[in-house]
Amino acid sequence: SDLTYAAEWSPWPANAPPKPSTENPPSLGLPPPDTLDQRALLTLLRQPVEVYFKHHLQVTLDLPDSPEDDSEPFEWQGLEGYLGRQQVVQSETPLAPLQQLKMRGELALAAVGQHQQTQLLALREQLWQHVSPWLLNSDTPVTPQLWRQDVKGCRLTLTWGGEWPRWRQRADGSLVQIDWRPGKVLAKDALASLWLGHLAACAAGRPTQSIQSGEDGWVVVSPLSPEAAQALLQDMVALYQEAWVQPLPLPSKTALRYLHAWTQALAKDPDHPMATQRADRVAHEQAQATFEGQGDRDGEWARNPCLQRLYQRYQDLDLATFTQLAHRLYQPMHQACQTMAPETHDHPVEDAA
């Protein structure tokens, strides 16, 4: 079709004229950018394959509409429901956003609405309790800041600071970044924004500890040296440029599940002569279940139309490239994090994902 980029992913018909030479392929989509920002790297972290479709080709693929279900009215669903809950749990004064939700008709009336409010306030209390050791009365706001660096022909600009009470400055000048999320966090698949802000502040020379609090526990990200943070950001720019040229075989949730399973399996018997091979086999088994789904539970593939456009099953990924890219993009974040659940108190979770 002249109105789409379907030619980039459709097979060449057998009865068509010879395929043009690829030595100088036609330019499709937008040219590579010479500036990158938060949005670009967040897309890379959240779903690398979307860099190619959404940023390069400028196309958005949609999933088919799901049939109407028998959900109760005013049940918290989808992005709108999530954002409504997030406004409440992140606020120091939650009654104000609750009132706004009521005025917009996003809360039920009478007893049902009162039950929703009670649940939300209880969830907020739980999330704030998780991070109470990091909330000091002496904390002060952090002025919004920009960090810039020229990397591989691109000017990278990232923001950090601002957004009280998310960003807080200690008396010694170090920073704390906190993210309250009305969902589960121990799988480390919701860390993109927190991780990027963490890297930007550390790259600017401000020691930063970042914490993400969720329903199942909390994740603590340790400070990085400026040199380490800058090196990671430079490599993310290089990966973004690679993802711009062609889709990276790196479904994000699948990659994080692979890394978690690989780390856990390797730790069980690190001195075994076949430890790495055994860990890789176990990790691929769990990654496949995450990608394709298991039982009645949909996998990552079923929830992302870009992945559906490219692959039909886990083995369709270039698994050698997938493994290498998973370690390259997500392993630094995975290693920098310590996961904790309420029942473990101050002890790291052994099997959090």
Side-chain angles (χ1 to χ4, degrees), residues 307-318:
L307 294 174
Q308 292 178 22
R309 204 54 153 131
L310 295 167
Y311 315 107
Q312 293 300 315
R313 55 183 187 146
Y314 182 67
Q315 283 75 14
D316 292 339
L317 298 168
D318 179 345

Side-chain angles (χ1 to χ4, degrees), residues 23 51 53 73 75 116 127 132 149 170-172 196 220 257 259 265 272 324:
E23 292 183 3
V51 171
F53 285 94
E75 184 178 336
Q116 286 182 313
L127 301 190
S132 58
Q149 189 173 62
R170 294 280 189 257
D172 62 2
L196 200 54
V220 181
R257 185 62 206 176
L259 286 173
H272 192 282
Q324 183 264 331

Side-chain angles (χ1 to χ4, degrees), residues 69-82 85 105-108 112 116 119:
D69 56 26
D70 297 326
S71 300
E72 293 293 329
F74 297 103
E75 184 178 336
W76 296 106
Q77 291 184 337
L79 179 61
E80 183 175 329
Y82 173 82
R85 290 186 297 163
E106 296 179 26
L107 290 178
V112 176
Q116 286 182 313
Q119 284 186 316

Side-chain angles (χ1 to χ4, degrees), residues 93-333:
T93 55
L95 295 182
L98 267 178
Q99 183 63 28
Q100 293 174 3
L101 292 177
K102 290 172 64 176
M103 294 177 64
R104 294 200 299 264
E106 296 179 26
L107 290 178
L109 300 175
V112 176
Q114 186 60 46
H115 179 64
Q116 286 182 313
Q117 294 182 57
T118 301
Q119 284 186 316
L120 271 175
L121 292 174
L123 174 61
R124 179 197 174 275
E125 178 65 22
Q126 175 189 357
L127 301 190
W128 282 68
Q129 183 62 34
H130 289 168
V131 299
S132 58
W134 291 276
L135 303 177
L136 304 182
N137 291 332
S138 58
D139 290 347
T140 56
V142 181
T143 304
Q145 302 286 336
L146 293 178
W147 179 80
R148 296 186 177 93
Q149 189 173 62
D150 292 322
V151 183
K152 295 185 177 297
C154 284
R155 166 55 66 95
L156 175 62
T157 303
L158 299 176
T159 61
W160 58 275
E163 297 182 79
W164 175 270
R166 178 186 175 99
W167 284 91
R168 317 168 75 92
Q169 180 171 292
R170 294 280 189 257
D172 62 2
S174 65
L175 305 180
V176 174
Q177 179 191 195
I178 302 177
D179 181 29
W180 296 268
R181 296 185 68 86
K184 296 182 178 181
V185 300
L186 295 187
K188 303 179 185 177
D189 57 6
L191 282 170
S193 182
L194 187 87
W195 177 239
L196 200 54
H198 186 85
L199 290 178
C202 290
R206 299 297 299 272
T208 302
Q209 188 175 40
S210 297
I211 305 95
Q212 186 175 72
S213 177
E215 296 176 9
D216 55 346
W218 58 99
V219 180
V220 181
V221 189
S222 303
L224 298 172
S225 69
E227 295 76 16
Q230 290 169 20
L232 290 173
L233 288 169
Q234 290 166 6
D235 196 50
M236 286 173 64
V237 170
L239 272 173
Y240 183 91
Q241 293 172 330
E242 293 176 28
W244 181 278
V245 175
Q246 62 182 5
L248 295 183
L250 188 63
S252 57
K253 292 181 184 295
T254 302
L256 286 165
R257 185 62 206 176
Y258 169 87
L259 286 173
H260 175 78
W262 184 85
T263 302
Q264 294 296 316
L266 190 63
K268 289 181 179 178
D269 192 4
D271 298 325
H272 192 282
M274 299 291 289
T276 302
Q277 293 87 335
R278 289 165 59 176
D280 198 54
R281 175 180 56 79
V282 171
H284 278 300
E285 290 174 355
Q286 296 193 27
Q288 181 173 0
T290 299
F291 184 77
E292 296 179 358
Q294 200 168 35
D296 296 332
R297 187 173 182 177
D298 285 338
E300 185 174 11
W301 177 89
R303 297 189 294 268
N304 190 286
C306 295
L307 294 174
Q308 292 178 22
R309 204 54 153 131
L310 295 167
Y311 315 107
Q312 293 300 315
R313 55 183 187 146
Y314 182 67
Q315 283 75 14
D316 292 339
L317 298 168
D318 179 345
L319 294 182
T321 302
F322 163 79
T323 301
Q324 183 264 331
L325 290 174
H327 283 281
R328 181 177 170 187
L329 181 59
Y330 296 117
Q331 183 71 358
M333 181 181 75

